[in-house]
């Protein structure tokens, strides 16, 4: 492997890892704050990707405007879903949360098949992000992928800022460590939950929209991303956003380089990583001891 | 039970469906050992079912082979994977455990889906049905009674486990693991034993399914299969062996009903939609499962059931 290829693969790893982080951070937020295990989280990623497929012809080169519209739509969807389904799950045990969100996946998958069919679709990157960035003879890298990484970094920094520096973030952190205390302090926890849930859905959908021009849009994309996100959350430690970031990048590297070196069994790489971490630290890299 | 014994007399369609239901019952019972009896919610149980099925087909060879040997091999293979997965995943608890079991099942799925071991995504066919002693399983009757015997054996075994000291320890772990540990029980070992046993029984169900269908594919290990079997256990009602069997029956019938054109019209093609909605309503209305409903109906109003 020459240096150029190596650099390209590194960039790919970081880009994939950051994208995973967007989805996983939403999952972590929803689980960390509300204690709900949400199997349907991958569906939100899928919905985002299909949204990009449906909206990109309408918005053309106004890609950023499209992303904003998509975020708004997803947040509204999240708000409604929280109101209709998830608000009933807070007091239930994990088993019932697993079942109900499993039911939701079946509904989302079938609705997708009814609305857009089961074909694989491609989404074109906007013209202003066409082409590649070239570093002399050494390597060239698609502008769109650079844009995707940059967008994810901006979002990650933004998320960090909101969680650690704002009043909302303070309530979120307090809610994650002691729900009853927050309720006791007179904070409207129902509204807080609804906002966090809508934000989680929007993050996952945004990741799907950003991913759409890089990978094709296909059925079951939600399930595959969900399971990788579980791996990320297990490696990173439940409830830790920083842990999710570190784990996402690790998974991104293992998966990308696994595909280069061990194409045949590349699917197993991240699970072996997870197994190793579990032997070493069952609570995850940054998780608290249970 | 009478229907089960007289099964083959009901005609090929019902006999065939009944065999499927009985196999799913074994599968659901194996998960009940984890979820209902030990309190471990596994979302990766399909891995052991699929491994059992693949082991049976891969081991059968050109002459079919001896079924007993194949079934034991399938159970052994599933138990071995359960030992590895259980040893790691039982280091975690609660929602972590759910995620880890799902992830390891998905790893097994990818092994069969992406590599040549099991004919990648197309799966592989059983060339010749294995035989049982000199008995050919080509006959529907033989297969039927074989599956019935396996179901009775599994049910009997789990009923014994429930009553044993081992079962009492599992029940203790379900209620309060910390107290069990304080009482001097090595809870990790007990949970691991239950996990391996559940894996082996799921492997048995998978092995029987492979013999019935004559074909296996990676779908058997997919997380939809894991979700479905978890649904069966809860649908029937956890904490009762009967619940798992009832759950398997109801789930199969529900799936048949929802995909019947005569009943559902054009929605029959989208039975997953109706199934999904049914699950959601079910969770909202019947958290204790059908056994819970039966108990509630059976009790005079005012006395109250289990709080």
């Amino acid at each position: 492997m020459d240096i150029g290829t190596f650099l390209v693969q590194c960039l790919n790893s970081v880009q994939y890892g950051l994208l995973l982080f967007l989805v996983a951070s939403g999952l972590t937020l929803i689980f960390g704050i509300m204690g709900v295990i949400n199997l349907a989280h991958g569906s939100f990623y899928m919905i985002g990707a299909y949204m990009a497929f449906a909206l990109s012809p309408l918005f053309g080169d106004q890609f950023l405007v499209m992303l904003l519209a998509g975020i708004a739509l997803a947040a509204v969807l999240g708000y409604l879903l929280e109101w209709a389904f998830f608000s009933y799950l807070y007091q239930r045990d994990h088993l019932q949360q697993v079942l109900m969100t499993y039911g939701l996946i079946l509904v989302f998958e079938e609705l997708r098949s009814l609305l857009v069919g089961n074909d694989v679709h491609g989404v074109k990157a906007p013209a202003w992000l066409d082409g590649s960035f070239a570093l002399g003879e050494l390597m060239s890298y698609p502008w769109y992928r650079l844009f995707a990484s940059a967008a994810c970094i901006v979002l990650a920094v933004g998320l960090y800022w909101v969680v650690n520096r704002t009043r909302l973030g303070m309530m979120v952190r307090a809610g994650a460590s002691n729900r009853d205390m927050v309720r006791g302090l007179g904070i409207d926890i129902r509204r807080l939950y609804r906002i966090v849930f809508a934000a989680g859905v929007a993050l996952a959908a945004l990741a799907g929209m950003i991913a759409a021009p890089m990978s094709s849009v296909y059925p079951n994309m939600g399930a595959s991303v969900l399971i990788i996100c579980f791996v990320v959350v297990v490696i990173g430690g439940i409830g830790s956003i920083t842990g999710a970031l570190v784990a996402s990048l690790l998974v991104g590297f293992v998966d990308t380089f696994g595909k280069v070196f061990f194409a045949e069994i590349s699917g197993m790489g991240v699970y072996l990583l997870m197994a190793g971490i579990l032997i070493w630290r069952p609570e995850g890299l940054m998780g608290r001891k249970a | 039970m009478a229907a089960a014994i007289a099964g083959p007399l009901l005609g090929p369609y019902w006999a065939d469906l009944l065999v499927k239901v009985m196999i799913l019952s074994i599968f659901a019972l194996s998960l009940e050992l984890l979820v209902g009896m030990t309190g471990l919610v596994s979302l990766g149980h399909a891995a052991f079912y699929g491994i059992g099925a693949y082991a049976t087909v891969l081991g059968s060879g050109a002459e079919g082979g001896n079924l007993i040997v194949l079934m034991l091999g399938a159970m052994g293979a599933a138990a071995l994977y359960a030992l590895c997965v259980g040893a790691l995943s039982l280091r975690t608890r609660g929602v972590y455990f759910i995620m880890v079991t799902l992830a390891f099942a998905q790893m097994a799925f990818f092994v069969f889906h992406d590599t040549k071991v099991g004919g990648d995504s197309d799966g592989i066919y059983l060339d010749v049905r294995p035989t049982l002693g000199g008995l050919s399983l080509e006959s529907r009757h033989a297969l039927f009674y074989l599956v019935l015997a396996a179901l009775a054996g599994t049910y009997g075994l789990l009923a014994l486990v429930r009553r044993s000291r081992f079962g009492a320890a599992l029940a203790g772990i379900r209620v309060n693991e910390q107290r069990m540990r304080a009482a001097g029980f090595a809870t990790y070992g007990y949970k691991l034993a239950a996990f391996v046993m559940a894996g082996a029984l799921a492997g048995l169900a998978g092995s029987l399914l492979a013999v019935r269908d004559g074909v296996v594919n990676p779908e058997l290990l997919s997380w939809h299969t894991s979700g479905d079997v978890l649904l069966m256990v809860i649908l029937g009602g956890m904490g009762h062996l009967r619940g798992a069997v009832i759950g398997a029956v109801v789930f199969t019938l529900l799936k048949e009903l929802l995909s019947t054109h005569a009943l559902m019209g054009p929605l029959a093609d989208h039975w997953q939609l109706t199934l999904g909605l049914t699950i959601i309503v079910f969770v909202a209305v019947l958290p204790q499962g059908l056994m819970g409903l039966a108990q509630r109906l059976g009790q005079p109003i005012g006395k109250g059931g289990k709080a």
Side-chain angles (χ1 to χ4, degrees), chain A residues 4 14 40 74 76 98 149 151 168-169 178 221 233 235 277:
Chain A
V14 171
V76 171
V98 164
S149 297
L168 176 69
N178 194 332
M221 62 190 300
V233 171
I235 291 177
I277 302 267

Side-chain angles (χ1 to χ4, degrees), chain A residues 102 106 110 238 278-279 283, chain B residues 91 95-96 228 270 272:
Chain A
Y102 177 65
L106 296 180
E110 248 348 284
I238 279 188
L278 279 172
I279 293 172
E283 69 278 5
Chain B
R91 293 167 64 89
V95 68
Y96 253 26
D228 287 348
H270 301 283
Q272 299 228 43

